[in-house]
Every structure is written in structure tokens, then in C-alpha cells.
Amino acid sequence: MDWLKQNTLLSFIHSMICSILLILAVIHAPEMFEDPLSHSNMFNYSIIAFSIGYFLYDFYDCLQNSTSSIVPILFHHIVVITFLSHVLIRTRTIGYALYALSLEANSVFLHARRLVRWYPSSFHNLNFLKAFIDIGNYITFILFRFGIVLVALRALLIQRNRFEPIIHLFTVMSVCAIGILNIVLFYRLLKNQINSKKKSKDGKVMIDNDILMPS
């Protein structure tokens, strides 16, 4: 349990830092949205390198310390590490990598939701905070984990003739894999929310301690 709390806190910190860096990246180079295939600059390249380091560490950490089912989280990390490493090596499709990392905006709320449940005495206006996190969680989930995937797939369709066929297939498969994982995560999130409300009505407390959330 102590390990899970530490892991969640680390994931929260990564998602916060990554989200801030992505906001700066958009402000600094909004033209990346016009051509996510060829866009490149050192700052955005560094964001990808930073996140690969986190995902590699978290993969090892989960493999060594988790006592619950970690197949979904390991699969998620393998997909992300493979895709980001490919972008880092080829220094192309950096815009698509930033699309993928924008999902971290939702991870902020996913991890904050758990931290607030674990440490309720550390926060003031707890009910307001929980409501804010829940609303932010669903809004950012739909906008980033679903919306960005659709935006990326549309861009891949438009730019398909500029890709090498194998690279285009690899990128499409990576985006689709992330999209499928997001659907599974959304189902688990809704299921846990419904079960939590049922438990609360019965006077019981339910916390999703045994569910590792993709970062």
C-alpha cells in the first residue's frame, strides 16, 4: 500500500510537470498543429526524452513492486515507450508524440482523485475539491483521451502520403492501441464511480487501491 501511494504521487508529479511543459510548448510553437509530422524543436524533443525516462522507471517500478494485476499498465507503458522512442530516434512525428503526451492533462485529475481519497484530512473544502476533481476528470478525459486520439487519427489520414508505409502503419497502430486502452480505462473509471456511490449509500467506504491507473 505504501508503494502504491508513492507510485501514484510520482505519477501525479510527472503528469503535472508534463502538462505544464506541454502548455509552454504550445505557446512557444503553435505551428506544430499545422504539421505534426515535420515539426521539430529542441524543447519539444526534450519533453519526449523526459517522459520516456519516467515511463521506463515506472515500468521497472511496477514490475518489481506491484502485488496486483499489472498487465494493462505494462502493456500501456510498452506501447508508449516504443512509440516515443521511435520518435526520439527518428526526430520526426514529434507533433504526434506531443498529442500522445497531452493525455497527461487528464492523468493529473486521475491521480489527484486517488490522493484526495487517501489523504482527506490534508485538504480544506473537501467536498468542493472532490467535485472539482471529478468534473475535471471527466472533461479532460473526453477532451484529451478521446478527442486527441481522434485528432491524431484525422491528421494521420490527411498526411498518410507523406509517411513511409511501415511508419504510417506503426503510428496508426500505436494511436489505436492508446485509444483502446483509454476506452478500457474509462469503463473502469465509471464502474468504480458507480460502485463507490453504492458503497457510500450502504455506509461503506470503497477506494480503488488495487487499480493501477495508466499515467
Side-chain angles (χ1 to χ4, degrees):
M1 181 59 185
D2 288 339
W3 168 81
L4 184 57
K5 290 181 179 180
Q6 293 173 4
N7 181 270
T8 302
L9 180 60
L10 180 62
S11 297
F12 174 76
I13 292 171
H14 167 259
S15 59
M16 280 290 293
I17 293 174
C18 194
S19 297
I20 293 170
L21 292 177
L22 285 169
I23 292 172
L24 295 176
V26 171
I27 294 173
H28 179 64
E31 67 273 9
M32 77 175 81
F33 297 112
E34 299 174 9
D35 188 5
L37 174 61
S38 300
H39 166 79
S40 179
N41 68 48
M42 186 54 67
F43 182 76
N44 292 352
Y45 190 82
S46 300
I47 296 174
I48 297 169
F50 164 72
S51 289
I52 287 178
Y54 160 74
F55 283 113
L56 284 170
Y57 171 80
D58 197 55
F59 182 91
Y60 175 79
D61 192 35
C62 291
L63 203 59
Q64 292 294 313
N65 297 297
S66 179
T67 56
S68 60
S69 175
I70 57 172
V71 173
I73 193 73
L74 293 183
F75 178 69
H76 169 272
H77 282 17
I78 289 171
V79 170
V80 173
I81 291 168
T82 303
F83 176 63
L84 294 183
S85 297
H86 155 76
V87 173
L88 207 63
I89 293 169
R90 291 179 59 89
T91 65
R92 280 173 67 80
T93 65
I94 287 179
Y96 287 101
L98 295 184
Y99 280 154
L101 288 176
S102 68
L103 275 61
E104 292 300 315
N106 172 249
S107 295
V108 172
F109 291 93
L110 278 176
H111 299 310
R113 177 171 170 266
R114 308 183 84 188
L115 293 172
V116 168
R117 288 187 176 188
W118 282 331
Y119 305 105
S121 60
S122 301
F123 303 95
H124 299 291
N125 300 319
L126 188 59
N127 290 333
F128 172 79
L129 183 59
K130 284 183 177 179
F132 173 78
I133 291 173
D134 281 342
I135 293 171
N137 192 12
Y138 285 107
I139 290 175
T140 56
F141 205 115
I142 293 170
L143 287 177
F144 292 97
R145 291 191 179 270
F146 290 148
I148 291 295
V149 167
L150 294 177
V151 169
L153 288 174
R154 178 179 178 274
L156 283 166
L157 178 63
I158 294 172
Q159 296 190 315
R160 64 188 182 279
N161 294 326
R162 294 177 57 195
F163 278 87
E164 297 171 30
I166 188 66
I167 300 302
H168 184 259
L169 178 62
F170 169 75
T171 307
V172 169
M173 289 179 63
S174 297
V175 173
C176 288
I178 292 172
I180 292 169
L181 284 169
N182 287 338
I183 292 172
V184 173
L185 178 59
F186 193 66
Y187 166 76
R188 293 171 68 180
L189 182 66
L190 285 175
K191 182 179 178 182
N192 184 258
Q193 190 91 22
I194 293 170
N195 288 341
S196 294
K197 289 182 179 179
K198 287 181 179 179
K199 294 290 184 179
S200 296
K201 288 180 180 180
D202 294 337
K204 300 177 182 178
V205 178
M206 178 182 172
I207 301 177
D208 51 342
N209 290 340
D210 60 336
I211 300 175
L212 280 169
M213 298 289 186
S215 301

